[in-house]
Amino acid sequence: MADTASQLMLGSGLTVVSHPLMYVKMLVQVGHEPLPPTLGRNLFGRQVYQLPGLFAYAKHIISIDGKMGLFKGLTPRLCAGAVGTVVHGKVLQCYQNQNQLEELGSDQKENSSSLDHVIKETTQEMVARSAATLITHPFHVITLRCMVQFIGRETKYNGVFGSIVTIYKEEGVLGFFAGLIPRLLGDIISLWICNTVAYFINTYALENGAVSEMKSYSQAVTGFLASMLTYPFVLVSNLMAVNNCGLAGGSLPYAPAYTSWTDCWRQLSLEGNTTRGNSLFFRKVPAGKSYVYAQKRFY
């Protein structure tokens, strides 16, 4: 119980601190560029036109809504974090109890470094994460829609309970799970890539003496690479969560009414936008688009 409480407190603190970053990222993901590109230098010192980064974008939001404006959608996100932590912990606890019973009934103790053990642990973690995502996705949808309201200055989604009523009246139960499939797929693929690649690195690429010291580093590196590879799933999920929901940010000129998440993926691929919002620094104007074109398109 104490562990769950500490996890909730830590998770809530991290959520509050990271919320402005997620807010800016979401607005960039839907294609909202309220500030003109500026001439800057890339990592190699070459002059290029750059779109505003995290801090410039956040400053723009503050100039309109004040500092508290950076925390739109925080309440439903905190709800999602709290409920998700409890569900995730409960599912894993059930698996731990089951594993203990299996160990008592077996003479052989499973090798924690074996591939079978990694597959078993990853499968259990996948189920726990998927259960938490499924339960909390309605809060995630509300969070994103509260954020996107900044674009059209709407107040349609106001508060958790008011948003629940609005979504149910307009879209029914399915409205609470808009964008769920690509989100689940991205989480599952990322988890398996991270754990399996880390296993093979620790087992075959590192010497036995270095495994314990380097294990955490290899896990972090593979986690980062996995998140990069599966980012398009995150983007498509977020776009589908706000698509055609009655907000300016989910309608043209930002996005057409996608028929499905695969249709959204296909159109983003054709436009070369599957990584939009992945980086909030050194954001160059898309290739082939001049500064004047960017002005016409974005502003």
Side-chain angles (χ1 to χ4, degrees):
M1 191 71 177
D3 290 340
T4 302
S6 62
Q7 288 179 4
L8 287 173
M9 291 181 64
L10 178 60
S12 297
L14 292 174
T15 297
V16 173
V17 172
S18 66
H19 194 76
L21 186 148
M22 180 183 175
Y23 187 16
V24 172
K25 180 180 282 288
M26 181 58 193
L27 294 179
V28 172
Q29 286 177 337
V30 298
H32 182 55
E33 299 291 350
L35 301 173
T38 57
L39 189 61
R41 295 185 181 276
N42 60 18
L43 292 173
F44 303 101
R46 183 179 177 182
Q47 282 192 333
V48 293
Y49 277 108
Q50 296 178 339
L51 294 170
L54 170 64
F55 299 111
Y57 210 124
K59 187 176 180 180
H60 170 72
I61 295 173
I62 293 174
S63 69
I64 297 175
D65 290 337
K67 292 181 179 179
M68 292 304 298
L70 290 173
F71 296 93
K72 283 185 178 179
L74 177 60
T75 300
R77 190 176 174 214
L78 286 172
C79 292
V83 174
T85 298
V86 173
V87 172
H88 181 270
K90 292 292 183 182
V91 174
L92 284 185
Q93 185 61 51
C94 290
Y95 275 122
Q96 288 175 3
N97 295 338
Q98 179 183 332
N99 294 338
Q100 289 175 356
L101 291 175
E102 290 177 354
E103 288 179 3
L104 289 175
S106 176
D107 296 332
Q108 295 181 346
K109 188 175 182 180
E110 191 174 17
N111 185 0
S112 62
S113 62
S114 69
L115 180 59
D116 289 340
H117 181 75
V118 171
I119 292 175
K120 182 179 179 180
E121 278 199 336
T122 303
T123 301
Q124 293 175 354
E125 177 66 20
M126 177 187 70
V127 174
R129 287 193 188 185
S130 297
T133 297
L134 181 64
I135 296 298
T136 62
H137 194 73
F139 293 111
H140 181 68
V141 171
I142 294 171
T143 297
L144 299 183
R145 294 186 180 185
C146 288
M147 292 176 171
V148 170
Q149 289 185 137
F150 173 82
I151 297 173
R153 312 306 298 160
E154 297 111 334
T155 57
K156 182 178 180 179
Y157 296 93
N158 186 18
V160 176
F161 295 108
S163 298
I164 290 174
V165 172
T166 299
I167 294 174
Y168 183 75
K169 283 184 177 180
E170 295 187 358
E171 304 169 58
V173 176
L174 291 180
F176 294 107
F177 299 97
L180 174 63
I181 294 177
R183 187 182 178 201
L184 278 175
L185 286 175
D187 284 347
I188 292 170
I189 294 172
S190 177
L191 176 64
W192 279 98
I193 291 175
C194 178
N195 286 5
T196 54
V197 173
Y199 164 78
F200 285 111
I201 290 176
N202 293 335
T203 304
Y204 300 106
L206 299 177
E207 296 181 0
N208 293 333
V211 170
S212 59
E213 298 177 5
M214 298 296 295
K215 186 175 181 180
S216 59
Y217 296 104
S218 63
Q219 195 81 14
V221 171
T222 54
F224 174 76
L225 293 176
S227 66
M228 293 286 288
L229 291 173
T230 57
Y231 178 78
F233 288 97
V234 176
L235 176 61
V236 170
S237 174
N238 288 352
L239 292 182
M240 291 304 298
V242 302
N243 187 247
N244 202 26
C245 66
L247 299 176
S251 311
L252 289 171
Y254 296 98
Y258 299 117
T259 57
S260 65
W261 72 269
T262 54
D263 177 45
C264 177
W265 187 300
R266 181 181 61 83
Q267 294 198 42
L268 288 173
S269 298
L270 290 174
E271 298 167 359
N273 283 330
T274 54
T275 59
R276 186 172 63 198
N278 190 25
S279 174
L280 295 180
F281 300 97
F282 302 106
R283 299 177 56 231
K284 66 177 183 179
V285 175
K289 295 178 175 63
S290 66
Y291 171 66
V292 175
Y293 180 87
Q295 282 185 312
K296 289 180 180 178
R297 179 179 179 182
F298 295 133
Y299 317 112

